[in-house]
Amino acid sequence: MTKNSTRIYITAILAAALSLSSCTKKFDDINTNPDRPNAVTSEWLATNMLTAITSKNIASGTDFIQPFALCKYLAWTEKQNNLQYNWIDRTNFDRFLILRDVEPMISFAKSPELQNSYQALGHFLRAWVFFRASMQVGDIPYSEAIKGADKVIKPKYDSQKEVFLGILNELDAADELFSKGADFSGDFIYKGSIDKWRRLTNTFELHVLINLYKKTADPDLQVVQRFNKVMSRPLMRDYNDNFAVTYNSSSGYAYPWSSTPAQINAFTIYPMVSSTLIDLLKANQDRRLFYYTEPAAALIKAGKAASDFDAYVGVEPSDVYSNTLNAHNSGNFCDVNKRYVEMYNAEPVGLLNYWDLQFILAEATVRGWISGTPAQTYYANGIKGSMAFLASYAPASYAHGMPLSGTYAETYAQQVALQGSSEDQIRQIISQKYIAGFFHNVDYTAWFENRRTGYPTFVLNSTTNRNTPSSKFPVRWPYPQKELEFNSDNVQAAIQSQYNGNDDTNQLMWILK
């Protein structure tokens, strides 16, 4: 090859390389999402984990309805709903996976104060996820969970008592770290306010403790002593402190049951509000009835007014499916309030709310755990907090001419004042907690409350009950199939130690004994 030929050859290669580099750069520029972070940050990891336990956990469409079917708020007419008839399938531990990001989130913090905040958030997230899982099944992997980096791929199961001790300690640590932290980024719930996060953390700890009410004699747990200790810390003050997801008109961010141009929901024709809820509301002429439901079409046609309590009728969720369909076809049922369908921002969906706290405090007072403030005060605050929330978010046009004013709330709270024996008062408290929880607490909170206290009363119909045996309500979820396949020795040991080898829905876990 001559010198000229060599120069021409080299020049051609360089030109081609430059051309390819230019094309690649243009391709990369065009195909790069400017909104996607190009480096992992504490903020980004915090957002992902919070999303997983809040907005992603609050499903939309028919999945949004499922917890409210098991909790007997609703009946369903598209087809027989398994949860409505008490058939509980195996759970999963998928949410454990998000906790892998806790340590990286802490390590990327840019100051000691921010590191405190992100470490506190990590403790809260762990407590939240492990609590939900243990409430479903009993013993779970805890001390060895999320240790794949340490080559622990088959974690042992800790006893439910050990898990709850760990959860309580994590929440204590979270409160202390938040108190030494700084407001942080990546939080779409409270905008990174460590004050609000402390209030949530401590409110959640009280929620965990009230679920241990049968374990007050345990010297390790020290349930009552812990409860009083947490009472001295910051707690939720009103519904603005709710641990709740707020919605907007963007696609994918609209209220989960809405059907608007932002989000089409073809299933809004199927729900029917239950007699479990409606009868509780009608018994005391509770105006939240008009905010939760629509009047029965057949009763309006017969001359009833939408503002008349008698225009509302509930459907018994345990009734045979053919009767449910007949009630639907004849218009003798109440649909959910139209605002849930017509508004993309009907209301924030709370996972733990101010009124929950007030009812917890009322129950703790009746049980003799705390003193100084009457149980009636907390109980009334819970009712008034629920009503104030509804009045704030629901336009008057959806109230059927029966608005919730502050004066009405005060009068109603006195009308349904606590009375009778301690057990009677617990029934009243949990019943009001149930009423306030409609379309909130999507992690089956009302079902756990019924399992724990027996209130409100759910009808057991052996003809339709899909639990086996049909003479019992289920009390737990069976363990995940993946655990049975890939961590068999450890899960089988947990099943044997708790339930004599029977992984079914009727076995009483430690917390219920």
Side-chain angles (χ1 to χ4, degrees):
M1 187 179 287
T2 64
K3 280 187 179 180
N4 270 348
S5 298
T6 302
R7 283 195 192 118
I8 292 169
Y9 179 71
I10 292 171
T11 300
I13 291 175
L14 288 171
L18 287 170
S19 175
L20 180 61
S21 173
S22 175
C23 289
T24 302
K25 185 176 186 304
K26 288 178 182 177
F27 180 84
D28 289 343
D29 288 344
I30 292 169
N31 289 277
T32 299
N33 180 353
D35 296 324
R36 184 175 181 177
N38 54 20
V40 177
T41 63
S42 297
E43 294 89 340
W44 186 76
L45 292 171
T47 300
N48 275 3
M49 287 187 283
L50 279 174
T51 300
I53 69 165
T54 59
S55 54
K56 279 189 177 179
N57 188 50
I58 302 169
S60 59
T62 54
D63 288 339
F64 177 68
I65 292 298
Q66 299 309 309
F68 306 108
L70 182 62
C71 296
K72 315 309 175 195
Y73 285 109
L74 298 172
W76 189 252
T77 58
E78 179 193 19
K79 57 184 178 180
Q80 289 194 53
N81 181 284
N82 285 331
L83 289 175
Q84 178 184 331
Y85 293 106
N86 308 310
W87 189 81
I88 297 180
D89 201 357
R90 293 190 179 278
T91 189
N92 64 70
F93 290 162
D94 291 353
R95 275 195 286 183
F96 284 21
L97 298 178
I98 68 165
L99 300 178
R100 294 177 298 185
D101 289 337
V102 167
E103 290 304 319
M105 174 182 68
I106 298 167
S107 68
F108 293 140
K110 296 175 182 177
S111 72
E113 292 77 18
L114 285 174
Q115 189 171 64
N116 285 338
S117 296
Y118 285 119
Q119 189 174 354
L121 178 62
H123 280 303
F124 174 86
L125 290 165
R126 284 173 53 85
W128 186 269
V129 169
F130 289 129
F131 174 77
R132 300 286 180 232
S134 185
M135 288 289 283
Q136 286 192 332
V137 299
D139 295 0
I140 59 170
Y142 175 68
S143 60
E144 291 186 357
I146 321 302
K147 292 189 179 293
D150 299 328
K151 299 183 179 179
V152 179
I153 59 173
K154 295 183 177 181
K156 71 173 185 178
Y157 276 60
D158 296 280
S159 71
Q160 192 171 42
K161 175 180 172 177
E162 291 169 330
V163 173
F164 270 76
L165 276 169
I167 288 168
L168 294 170
N169 290 335
E170 297 218 45
L171 292 170
D172 286 340
D175 175 70
E176 183 176 356
L177 286 162
F178 275 131
S179 73
K180 299 174 183 176
D183 290 354
F184 60 97
S185 300
D187 164 30
F188 55 89
I189 302 290
Y190 295 130
K191 305 297 187 288
S193 167
I194 57 171
D195 174 65
K196 289 201 171 191
W197 271 103
R198 287 191 73 189
R199 296 179 187 281
L200 169 63
T201 296
N202 297 321
T203 297
F204 180 47
E205 185 161 359
L206 295 182
H207 174 69
V208 173
L209 287 164
I210 205 69
N211 278 279
L212 291 166
Y213 83 102
K214 290 188 176 182
K215 306 298 180 182
T216 54
D218 191 297
D220 300 318
L221 290 165
Q222 297 187 321
V223 172
V224 176
Q225 295 92 323
R226 281 180 182 267
F227 199 98
N228 279 271
K229 184 178 179 181
V230 177
M231 284 288 294
S232 66
R233 301 173 186 168
L235 298 170
M236 287 181 177
R237 298 158 296 189
D238 56 37
Y239 65 77
N240 293 303
D241 289 337
N242 288 359
F243 187 41
V245 176
T246 302
Y247 297 94
N248 60 46
S249 60
S250 302
S251 178
Y253 297 92
Y255 183 78
W257 191 242
S258 64
S259 185
T260 68
Q263 170 182 282
I264 303 301
N265 180 359
F267 300 97
T268 61
I269 61 174
Y270 297 117
M272 307 168 74
V273 183
S274 76
S275 54
T276 312
L277 177 63
I278 287 181
D279 289 355
L280 282 174
L281 291 162
K282 290 176 67 174
N284 294 300
Q285 303 283 281
D286 188 328
R287 289 191 181 187
R288 283 173 289 186
L289 174 70
F290 303 99
Y291 285 72
Y292 289 161
T293 72
E294 291 295 317
L299 296 176
I300 294 295
K301 186 177 180 180
K304 299 291 184 184
S307 59
D308 186 342
F309 280 92
D310 289 337
Y312 297 79
V313 59
V315 173
E316 171 48 51
S318 71
D319 204 355
V320 295
Y321 181 61
S322 59
N323 288 349
T324 301
L325 280 180
N326 289 339
H328 188 274
N329 294 338
S330 65
N332 284 292
F333 77 99
C334 290
D335 197 354
V336 301
N337 192 286
K338 289 180 180 178
R339 67 190 177 90
Y340 296 116
V341 176
E342 297 174 352
M343 296 178 66
Y344 61 79
N345 59 345
E347 64 189 26
V349 175
L351 296 149
L352 185 62
N353 301 302
Y354 165 74
W355 49 82
D356 296 320
L357 168 65
Q358 295 302 307
F359 293 127
I360 289 168
L361 298 177
E363 180 181 345
T365 303
V366 172
R367 294 192 186 281
W369 294 9
I370 56 176
S371 60
T373 300
Q376 172 64 27
T377 300
Y378 294 128
Y379 171 75
N381 286 343
I383 293 169
K384 291 186 289 185
S386 166
M387 290 185 175
F389 172 86
L390 290 170
S392 175
Y393 284 101
S397 58
Y398 288 102
H400 303 296
M402 298 292 278
L404 287 170
S405 66
T407 301
Y408 170 83
E410 288 281 358
T411 302
Y412 176 88
Q414 292 304 315
Q415 175 191 330
V416 298
L418 295 174
Q419 57 184 336
S421 67
S422 294
E423 190 62 24
D424 287 335
Q425 293 182 47
I426 297 296
R427 175 185 53 78
Q428 288 178 269
I429 291 165
I430 302 303
S431 296
Q432 286 293 334
K433 196 175 189 179
Y434 181 83
I435 290 171
F438 182 65
F439 273 7
H440 293 278
N441 306 108
V442 297
D443 280 311
Y444 303 95
T445 301
W447 187 80
F448 291 130
E449 289 290 277
N450 174 269
R451 181 182 74 174
R452 179 175 73 87
T453 68
Y455 305 121
T457 302
F458 293 166
V459 174
L460 180 63
N461 184 341
S462 60
T463 303
T464 60
N465 184 16
R466 296 198 61 196
N467 187 50
T468 303
S470 61
S471 58
K472 291 183 177 180
F473 281 115
V475 292
R476 63 180 290 272
W477 276 254
Y479 278 105
Q481 186 64 37
K482 285 183 181 178
E483 287 293 289
L484 294 170
E485 293 174 357
F486 301 112
N487 193 14
S488 179
D489 289 346
N490 287 314
V491 71
Q492 292 293 353
I495 294 168
Q496 184 61 44
S497 66
Q498 295 174 98
Y499 310 127
N500 294 319
N502 298 313
D503 182 27
D504 63 50
T505 58
N506 303 297
Q507 303 302 315
L508 285 180
M509 60 184 65
W510 168 83
I511 201 174
L512 301 175
K513 295 178 180 178

